[in-house]
């Protein structure tokens, strides 16, 4: 500022819109239109407002810069369960890509509730994020389509909505589930229970499909009594295992189709003094660091969690520059053969 020029009576971090309006010679409403990008403003007027924002340091200077570029350098991430270590590892892959490029992340957890997911989608849209990575709950199809039509880039992760045309990064759920069930069949089991997750998400449907396909390929009749829902959490996984234990003819093996449900079913076995794998063999879906802290060591299907996040982040960046023609990227899982399946027992 040139010497002798009067400085407005504003303090750093306490600048109001009326101060910006005064500096730019416009109304407060016009300043609001520019900041929130809610109404078209003449280019020369917009430029004056941006210049005033910068000179008065209205919020960080990066805000004014982002207005010029029509970018906020902010990415929204909506996961379904912040307590699940699966998503913790997946988020690391997302974070590593965006942080080194100077982006900020807004992370939300829907808790598998469509109404909460809708609330966060609205919030992220209002904040004008540059893109969203979403693990969908299965609802809000119309609103998500509205966001797409508005031009907001989005990527599905871990699961997808069949009728919503958004690129997705997922794993080969059906094939991995088939292999896990086939492994138990190869161990001699014919009465195999399965604990599935929330019915409206694609990964649940695919894992159940893999289980059913393995039974059919081996001539084993499908018994609906052996299919229980654990609603993708530990407590319900525990309850589902109790239901299987209370069947007149209990299963000799159980496939838990996510990590939290597998923890629940293992707790149910322990609390009811059922030996694993001697009495009931177990295979879980999702590997986690403490899987080998269980006794017996858990046999699991390991997902490439970090790669899921990394790939989704890279796809979102690419989608900002060009139209992505690939609708679904499918990553492969790895079968971790340990002790809970009973492969080490004498046969």
């Amino acid at each position: 500022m040139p010497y002798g020029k009067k400085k407005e009576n504003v303090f750093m971090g306490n600048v109001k819109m009326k101060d910006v309006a005064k500096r730019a010679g416009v109304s407060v409403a016009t300043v609001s239109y520019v900041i929130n990008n809610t109404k078209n403003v003449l280019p020369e007027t917009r430029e004056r407002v941006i210049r005033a924002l910068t000179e008065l340091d209205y919020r960080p200077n990066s805000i004014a810069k982002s207005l010029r570029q029509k970018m906020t350098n902010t990415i929204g991430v909506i996961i379904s369960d912040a307590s699940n270590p699966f998503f913790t590892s997946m988020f690391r892959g997302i974070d590593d890509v965006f942080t080194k490029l100077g982006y900020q992340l807004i992370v939300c957890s829907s808790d598998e509730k469509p109404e909460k997911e809708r609330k966060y989608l609205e919030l992220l849209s209002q904040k004008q994020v540059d893109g969203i990575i979403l693990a969908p709950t299965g609802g809000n199809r119309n609103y998500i389509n509205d966001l797409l039509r508005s031009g907001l880039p989005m990527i599905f992760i871990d699961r997808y909505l069949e009728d919503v045309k958004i690129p997705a990064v997922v794993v080969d759920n059906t094939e991995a589930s088939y292999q896990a069930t086939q492994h138990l069949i190869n161990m001699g089991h014919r009465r195999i229970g399965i604990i599935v997750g929330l019915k409206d998400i694609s990964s649940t449907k695919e894992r159940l499909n893999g289980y059913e396909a393995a039974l059919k390929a081996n001539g084993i009749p499908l018994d609906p009594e052996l299919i229980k829902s654990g609603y993708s959490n530990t407590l319900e996984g525990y309850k589902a295992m109790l239901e299987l234990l209370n069947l007149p003819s209990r299963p000799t093996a159980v496939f838990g189709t996510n990590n939290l449900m597998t923890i629940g079913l293992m707790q149910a076995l322990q609390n009811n003094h059922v030996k694993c794998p001697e009495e009931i063999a177990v295979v879980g879906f999702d590997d986690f660091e403490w899987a080998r802290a269980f006794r017996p060591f858990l046999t699991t299907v390991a997902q490439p969690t970090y790669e899921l996040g990394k790939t989704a982040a890279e796809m979102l960046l690419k989608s900002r520059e060009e139209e992505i023609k690939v609708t679904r990227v499918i990553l492969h899982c790895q079968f971790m053969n340990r002790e809970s399946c009973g492969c080490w027992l004498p046969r």
Side-chain angles (χ1 to χ4, degrees), residues 182-190 281 341-345 347:
Q182 184 64 53
H183 178 76
L184 290 170
I185 294 171
N186 292 343
M187 297 298 301
H189 298 284
R190 292 296 179 270
C341 61
C343 59
W344 54 275
L345 292 174
R347 298 174 65 183

Side-chain angles (χ1 to χ4, degrees), residues 168-188:
V169 183
V170 295
V171 299
D172 54 345
N173 287 296
T174 302
E175 178 61 24
S177 182
Y178 182 100
Q179 290 180 2
T181 308
Q182 184 64 53
H183 178 76
L184 290 170
I185 294 171
N186 292 343
M187 297 298 301

Side-chain angles (χ1 to χ4, degrees), residues 76 78 106 108 120-129 132:
I78 304 178
I106 300 176
C108 313
Y120 285 132
L121 286 169
E122 290 174 348
L123 172 68
L124 294 173
S125 176
Q126 290 167 7
K127 288 189 174 295
Q128 299 182 46
V129 294
I132 296 176

Side-chain angles (χ1 to χ4, degrees), residues 314-325:
E314 291 170 345
M315 284 183 68
L316 185 59
L317 286 171
K318 185 177 180 181
S319 71
R320 289 183 49 78
E321 304 297 331
E322 60 184 84
E323 182 180 354
I324 297 179
K325 296 182 180 179

Side-chain angles (χ1 to χ4, degrees), residues 154-171:
M154 296 182 70
I155 299 289
F156 285 146
I157 192 168
D158 179 51
R159 59 290 274 263
Y160 55 89
L161 300 178
E162 191 70 56
D163 52 346
V164 179
K165 297 186 182 303
I166 291 177
V169 183
V170 295
V171 299

Side-chain angles (χ1 to χ4, degrees), residues 165-298:
K165 297 186 182 303
I166 291 177
V169 183
V170 295
V171 299
D172 54 345
N173 287 296
T174 302
E175 178 61 24
S177 182
Y178 182 100
Q179 290 180 2
T181 308
Q182 184 64 53
H183 178 76
L184 290 170
I185 294 171
N186 292 343
M187 297 298 301
H189 298 284
R190 292 296 179 270
R191 192 159 176 77
I192 302 170
I194 183 171
I195 300 178
V196 296
L198 292 161
K199 66 177 182 178
D200 291 330
I201 61 177
S202 60
S203 55
T204 293
K205 298 172 185 176
E206 291 172 344
R207 291 172 196 179
L208 181 58
N209 288 342
Y211 163 83
E212 292 177 348
L215 295 182
K216 183 177 181 180
N218 289 273
I220 301 173
L222 180 67
D223 185 350
E225 272 194 333
L226 294 175
I227 303 173
K228 302 296 181 184
S229 180
Y231 299 96
S232 301
N233 67 68
T234 303
L235 177 59
E236 296 299 329
Y238 182 96
K239 292 178 180 178
M241 189 68 236
L242 291 182
E243 292 179 25
L244 290 172
L245 291 177
N246 289 328
L247 290 175
S249 177
R250 64 170 53 166
T252 61
V254 176
F255 179 26
T257 58
N258 92 340
N259 54 359
L260 299 183
M261 294 188 296
T262 302
I263 292 170
L265 79 85
M266 292 297 288
Q267 289 175 340
L269 293 179
Q270 183 180 37
N271 290 353
N272 287 273
H273 309 290
V274 177
K275 293 181 180 178
C276 172
E278 292 87 349
E279 294 178 72
I280 293 183
V282 171
V283 172
F285 205 108
D286 292 334
D287 203 34
F288 41 96
E289 290 183 4
W290 18 285
R292 281 162 287 187
F294 279 80
R295 294 296 182 273
F297 297 149
L298 284 177

